Amino acid sequence: MLACAGGPQNPWHIPKGREGRFREANRVCHQLTDNDDGTAHRERFDGCMERRGWRRQRFTDRIGIGIN
């Protein structure tokens, strides 16, 4: 499963068939929020991903129950 590296947070919820869109959003958000030296800013990155419609995985996602 694809996820933002590091941290104790849940991985990103990536529905089947949307892996390519996730990779693109992940790449763009890192370009927009990381420092020039490559240092990541998790809060800014997470906000960028959320504005693009992505969210962190919930327990119900992991057990296969679709609750919005």
Side-chain angles (χ1 to χ4, degrees):
M1 164 139 327
L2 297 170
C4 184
Q9 293 182 341
N10 290 335
W12 293 99
H13 173 66
I14 308 167
K16 285 187 178 188
R18 303 227 20 222
E19 296 88 354
R21 292 186 69 155
F22 175 81
R23 283 191 299 272
E24 177 65 13
N26 187 47
R27 183 185 65 76
V28 169
C29 285
H30 274 296
Q31 287 179 335
L32 292 172
T33 63
D34 290 359
N35 286 343
D36 291 338
D37 65 0
T39 305
H41 291 276
R42 179 168 300 281
E43 290 176 7
R44 287 192 288 181
F45 175 80
D46 284 1
C48 179
M49 291 294 282
E50 289 167 3
R51 284 188 297 279
R52 284 163 174 71
W54 298 98
R55 64 174 171 79
R56 293 285 181 176
Q57 193 176 68
R58 298 182 293 231
F59 174 73
T60 54
D61 295 328
R62 287 178 280 195
I63 62 173
I65 300 173
I67 299 175
N68 293 327

